Amino acid sequence: MSTNITYFLAWNFMDPRSNYVGRRPPLSPDQITALLEPRNLSDSVPLLERWWTWLTGVLLRWDWGVSPTGGSVNGQMAYRMWISAEFVTGATVITTVAGIALGVYTANRQYKVADRIGHFTSTITMNIPPVVAALGFVLIAIWLNDVVGTRIFYVTGPTGVGLDHWWEVVLDTLHRLILPTLAMSLVGYATTHFLQRALLLDNINADYVRTARAKGLTKRTAIRRHALRTSLIPIATQIAFTIPTVFLGAVLSEAIFAWHGLGEYLVQTIGSSDVHGTVAIAAFGAFLTAIGALLADIAVVALDPRVRVN
């Protein structure tokens, strides 16, 4: 339903004819119509007829259409979703693990020196714009490469050029992922840190944790067995629902590090009035949201024994 609504909204705001404005030699309106009609992108065809042609293509042939210039949306999505997956997976894992670990560590040392240092550091990193962090890492990497006299860090995306074996491609990709992963992890862990710290402090002072300690458990054991598990439930739910944002929101980072993923494609489709590409990305975002909801339910069942019993 949301994908179909996006289709109609896209046609309300986008004009595929704009891709042919300013061409030399200029094209007549009839020539533009002749180019767009076979691509199901001509406004000379009734909107409902365009929608039905597009919908039957998706349902019967899994064909999401073409761009105003004739490029395949299926081909772009199939290629770029894996690029985005490679680009954001490492940073997401590091951000989550670091944020939870730091939140637990500082909550156990509330108002002590380690807590204040962690709070100050996370406040600073959280307020660094991602584009500034990415550019800073690129400049430092270039400077370090010049000082050492060899290429330690790559500042651009994967190429695969001149690589004959699959393991060379894997190592090259991992090597080129170091810099963007560090940049995105630096600005992304603080939110999880603060949320984990606040939730764990609430649960440490809860009655059931005090009861557990009164029965003889040490503070560390009571926190690990009772408070930590409870505090992880909102964290897991939040992380699961950020999957669409992680995949589609790294627009500036992808542009700076030259990783041609879905974030870059989203900007391109909107800028070029590519109705079919925009709708395909919206559908992919809806699919990721459904996956996030499923993962959130699984995480809650795994962490909360009351749900398993029910």
Side-chain angles (χ1 to χ4, degrees):
M1 179 60 72
S2 62
T3 302
N4 287 283
I5 293 174
T6 305
Y7 183 87
F8 289 110
L9 289 175
W11 270 112
N12 194 38
F13 293 102
M14 294 181 173
D15 181 16
R17 289 179 178 272
S18 62
N19 290 276
Y20 298 94
V21 174
R23 286 201 172 187
R24 293 293 180 271
L27 299 178
S28 66
D30 291 339
Q31 288 176 313
I32 297 175
T33 300
L35 288 171
L36 292 178
E37 271 190 357
R39 299 165 185 169
N40 194 31
L41 288 170
S42 175
D43 53 7
S44 61
V45 179
L47 179 56
L48 286 178
E49 184 178 338
R50 275 175 270 157
W51 168 75
W52 181 251
T53 302
W54 167 81
L55 184 63
T56 53
V58 173
L59 295 179
L60 300 180
R61 302 186 303 276
W62 196 246
D63 181 4
W64 287 82
V66 296
S67 69
T69 55
S72 169
V73 173
N74 285 38
Q76 290 289 328
M77 292 294 296
Y79 169 73
R80 291 175 182 267
M81 71 170 62
W82 294 114
I83 296 291
S84 287
E86 294 174 357
F87 190 68
V88 302
T89 299
T92 304
V93 172
I94 293 175
T95 298
T96 303
V97 173
I100 292 175
L102 193 57
V104 173
Y105 181 79
T106 54
N108 280 297
R109 294 159 180 79
Q110 186 181 20
Y111 302 138
K112 295 181 180 178
V113 176
D115 182 30
R116 296 187 185 282
I117 292 176
H119 194 94
F120 175 78
T121 306
S122 295
T123 302
I124 296 295
T125 57
M126 188 174 63
N127 286 283
I128 298 176
V131 62
V132 174
L135 288 173
F137 272 90
V138 168
L139 293 175
I140 293 173
I142 293 174
W143 171 79
L144 192 60
N145 289 344
D146 291 339
V147 169
V148 177
T150 185
R151 181 173 293 170
I152 299 177
F153 295 110
Y154 285 101
V155 297
T156 58
T159 61
V161 177
L163 303 176
D164 299 325
H165 304 286
W166 65 268
W167 54 268
E168 292 179 329
V169 176
V170 172
L171 291 178
D172 178 71
T173 302
L174 292 176
H175 192 182
R176 292 172 185 273
L177 275 171
I178 293 175
L179 217 56
T181 299
L182 290 176
M184 289 190 290
S185 299
L186 178 68
V187 300
Y189 79 91
T191 303
T192 306
H193 165 213
F194 287 135
L195 182 59
Q196 177 65 63
R197 178 183 180 276
L199 291 169
L200 187 56
L201 285 174
D202 284 343
N203 287 291
I204 286 175
N205 298 319
D207 292 339
Y208 67 93
V209 177
R210 286 203 296 267
T211 302
R213 295 196 61 189
K215 290 184 176 179
L217 291 181
T218 63
K219 180 181 179 182
R220 175 175 297 183
T221 304
I223 291 174
R224 188 178 68 250
R225 290 185 181 177
H226 301 285
L228 179 59
R229 173 173 290 191
T230 307
S231 67
L232 282 175
I233 295 174
I235 297 286
T237 305
Q238 184 208 33
I239 293 171
F241 278 103
T242 58
I243 292 177
T245 307
V246 169
F247 266 82
L248 304 175
V251 177
L252 295 176
S253 297
E254 286 183 1
I256 291 172
F257 291 107
W259 283 69
H260 307 297
L262 287 175
E264 181 190 69
Y265 188 49
L266 173 62
V267 175
Q268 289 179 358
T269 55
I270 294 175
S272 61
S273 293
D274 183 353
V275 175
H276 294 156
T278 303
V279 176
I281 291 179
F284 186 66
F287 172 73
L288 292 180
T289 302
I291 294 294
L294 178 63
L295 293 176
D297 286 344
I298 293 174
V300 171
V301 170
L303 293 170
D304 193 342
R306 295 170 300 179
V307 177
R308 288 200 298 272
V309 171
N310 290 334

